[in-house]
């Protein structure tokens, strides 16, 4: 009698898009974490620097909303970035109870390094796909996410 492969996944499970997305997301998360750790960074660092670079100075609460990071995690990540002189925090002139965060020139340079690292991670994650398939996958995932974000938001 043949012994089943202990790592085999039931066909009805492997055919579920939700299962495939979850499993892919887990692997993507590990690749991103490992890739950023290799350059002494974390995903939150990239998300915050990218948000500041694209939208300009912002309060910590606004950064949390725009980057999808809980405000308590924003503070910890901003502390790490500030220690490295990648961001500046200053009291908001309009409301001194809150801080306005600005990316520094060193922060922009770090963002470019992180973008290069994440490009390599994307290439590793999507290695079996052609450039056309990668664009197609990105478009489809964006459409699904937008649909559910609009419905729940």
């Amino acid at each position: 009698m043949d012994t089943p492969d202990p790592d085999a996944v039931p066909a009805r499970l492997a055919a579920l898009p939700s299962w495939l997305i979850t499993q892919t997301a887990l692997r993507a998360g590990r690749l991103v974490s490992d890739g950023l750790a290799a350059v002494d960074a974390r995903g939150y660092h990239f998300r915050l620097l990218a948000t500041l670079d694209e939208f300009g100075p912002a309060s910590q609460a606004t950064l949390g909303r725009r980057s999808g990071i809980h405000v308590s995690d924003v503070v910890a990540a901003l502390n790490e970035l500030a220690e490295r002189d990648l961001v500046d925090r200053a009291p908001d002139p309009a409301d001194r109870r809150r801080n306005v965060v600005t990316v520094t020139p060193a922060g922009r340079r770090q963002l470019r390094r992180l973008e290069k690292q994440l490009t390599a991670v994307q290439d590793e994650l999507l290695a079996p796909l052609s450039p056309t398939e990668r664009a197609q996958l990105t478009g489809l995932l964006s459409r699904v996410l937008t649909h559910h974000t609009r419905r729940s938001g």
Side-chain angles (χ1 to χ4, degrees), residues 37-107:
V39 293
D40 195 30
R42 299 187 307 123
Y44 284 176
H45 297 166
F46 175 76
R47 289 161 66 177
L48 290 168
L49 292 172
T51 301
L52 287 166
D53 189 57
E54 185 167 333
F55 294 107
S59 70
Q60 292 173 169
T62 298
L63 282 172
R65 285 191 303 278
R66 286 183 174 158
S67 64
I69 303 171
H70 189 275
V71 70
S72 63
D73 294 326
V74 167
V75 172
L78 286 174
N79 287 342
E80 294 168 359
L81 294 172
E83 286 172 10
R84 298 176 186 185
D85 296 320
L86 302 177
V87 298
D88 284 327
R89 279 188 283 207
D92 184 341
D95 182 354
R96 295 207 137 325
R97 294 171 294 174
R98 70 178 185 182
N99 287 321
V100 173
V101 183
T102 306
V103 65
T104 65

Side-chain angles (χ1 to χ4, degrees), residues 119-139:
T119 295
V121 169
Q122 303 310 301
D123 287 343
E124 182 179 349
L125 175 67
L126 301 175
L129 303 179
S130 70
T132 300
E133 291 169 325
R134 290 176 186 204
Q136 195 173 27
L137 176 63
T138 301

Side-chain angles (χ1 to χ4, degrees), residues 16-39:
L16 293 172
S18 58
W19 187 85
L20 293 168
I21 290 169
T22 300
Q23 295 305 303
T24 303
L26 289 170
R27 282 158 180 76
R30 274 189 233 120
L31 287 172
V32 167
S33 291
D34 292 349
L36 291 176
V39 293

